[in-house]
Amino acid sequence: QGSQYINRKGYFSMVLQALVDHKGRFTNINVGWPGKVHDARVFKNSGLFRRLQEGVYFPDRKITVGDVEMPIVILGDPAYPLMPWLMKPYTGALDSEKELFNYRLSKCRMVVECAFGCLKGRWRSLLTHSDLSETSIPIVIAACCVLHNLCESKG
């Protein structure tokens, strides 16, 4: 099974799928899949995906911004499936409107990238080889996510 943990970059890893709020805190995590597994497969097999499909994760499904009512959506990268509750960038040949949409979506997703960057910066052990068992590593990663949230909440 060891070869399943070798990711596309050629090193051993474990997937951390996370939903991040606008303040850079992890609101949902799924950790433990081998690094070789594609992000879309991890997502489609997650409890988060099931709850979003069933409409129970965001039960109100709407948010009011100013005086405009909008659906609540999550943001994903191109690996994720396009869903009514998931925005992802356009791919292929793009006109200027689609390029502008992708640019703005990318700016919104920077919060997620920064959250992962802070997580790895705070808990440098996540970046190195671990001698822990494959059942202990997800517990450590989840604990680091909880501690990250505490740090973010406390400033």
Side-chain angles (χ1 to χ4, degrees), residues 35 49 63 86 89 96 98 100 117 121 128 132 134 152:
F49 183 84
I63 186 169
L86 191 150
S96 60
K98 289 178 181 175
L100 181 59
T128 61
L132 296 172
E134 89 181 63
E152 290 298 308

Side-chain angles (χ1 to χ4, degrees), residues 12 123-131:
F12 285 92
W123 318 113
R124 307 284 298 162
S125 64
L126 296 176
L127 300 174
T128 61
H129 173 78
S130 175
D131 290 328

Side-chain angles (χ1 to χ4, degrees), residues 115-126:
F116 275 97
C118 287
L119 178 74
K120 293 185 282 186
R122 281 188 175 116
W123 318 113
R124 307 284 298 162
S125 64
L126 296 176

Side-chain angles (χ1 to χ4, degrees), residues 12-39:
F12 285 92
S13 66
M14 196 169 272
V15 176
L16 167 61
Q17 172 195 275
L19 188 61
V20 177
D21 70 9
H22 64 288
K23 293 184 178 181
R25 296 174 303 201
F26 297 102
T27 60
N28 183 286
I29 62 169
N30 182 353
V31 63
W33 284 77
K36 191 175 228 165
V37 178
H38 193 274
D39 290 347

